[in-house]
Amino acid sequence: MKTKNDRIEMLKMLISSNELGSQEEVLNALAREGFKVTQATLSRDFKQLKVAKAASMNGKYVYVLPNETMYRRVSSPRSASEMVRLPGFLSINFSGNMGVIRTRPGYASSIAYNIDNGHIEEILGTIAGDDTIFIVIKEGATQQQVVTKLSYVIQGLTL
């Protein structure tokens, strides 16, 4: 059974990877992904996500997400259901007591939140953008210790 959270994530992916200009188009896209919802439910989801309409590059008005939840549009997007299943983590690299974690667009904030709430004593703090997380590592902690601890909070983490 698909949950509301699954539907919300799918809705974010669909809005950010397609130019959808009407609720009917969004409902049809959701239905193709296995989510049968009513127009009233879609309106409530839009309100929760603070979805707005804005002019696209070709002048057509399409639904967009607010900046804090924006997924960057890509030229050849994967299907929305495939994107929801894939982990957000891409890579990690270190330089001294600093680390840079690369994520898929839109995932850095939530991964940084998980790191901060994972209470990893080897990490002093994080700063997240759209697809990059900067971490500061405690003096004396090794890269391997950090990767081992991060693997508990980041799906798909490998060095």
Side-chain angles (χ1 to χ4, degrees):
M1 178 176 213
K2 297 186 179 196
T3 67
K4 178 181 178 183
N5 287 338
D6 293 336
R7 185 179 72 244
I8 294 293
E9 283 302 308
M10 182 62 64
L11 192 53
K12 287 193 243 180
M13 292 293 178
L14 289 170
I15 290 171
S16 63
S17 62
N18 299 285
E19 290 194 351
L20 302 169
S22 71
Q23 287 193 358
E24 183 178 348
E25 289 176 1
V26 177
L27 288 169
N28 290 335
L30 281 169
R32 283 192 298 276
E33 297 295 337
F35 294 89
K36 181 88 169 111
V37 296
T38 65
Q39 184 275 329
T41 299
L42 181 61
S43 290
R44 286 190 294 272
D45 290 348
F46 276 6
K47 185 175 182 179
Q48 177 183 334
L49 292 172
K50 297 179 175 73
V51 171
K53 268 197 167 178
S56 68
M57 297 297 249
N58 64 11
K60 177 182 171 189
Y61 279 85
V62 297
Y63 290 110
V64 295
L65 296 166
N67 286 337
E68 67 268 12
T69 58
M70 182 62 92
Y71 289 88
R72 200 178 290 153
R73 291 185 191 265
V74 292
S75 57
S76 58
R78 295 185 164 126
S79 76
S81 57
E82 181 184 9
M83 291 177 76
V84 168
R85 286 192 307 270
L86 295 172
F89 170 81
L90 296 177
S91 67
I92 185 168
N93 288 291
F94 296 96
S95 179
N97 73 326
M98 297 176 290
V100 175
I101 299 171
R102 299 283 183 191
T103 72
R104 291 191 3 234
Y107 279 74
S109 252
S110 61
I111 291 174
Y113 177 84
N114 290 341
I115 292 169
D116 291 339
N117 288 298
H119 305 292
I120 300 170
E121 61 187 45
E122 289 83 0
I123 297 178
L124 297 175
T126 64
I127 299 174
D130 179 57
D131 60 1
T132 305
I133 304 166
F134 174 76
I135 60 174
V136 177
I137 301 163
K138 191 180 222 179
E139 197 77 32
T142 68
Q143 292 175 6
Q144 189 55 53
Q145 287 173 316
V146 172
V147 169
T148 299
K149 294 286 179 77
L150 283 173
S151 69
Y152 295 114
V153 295
I154 301 176
Q155 179 184 354
L157 177 79
T158 58
L159 187 58

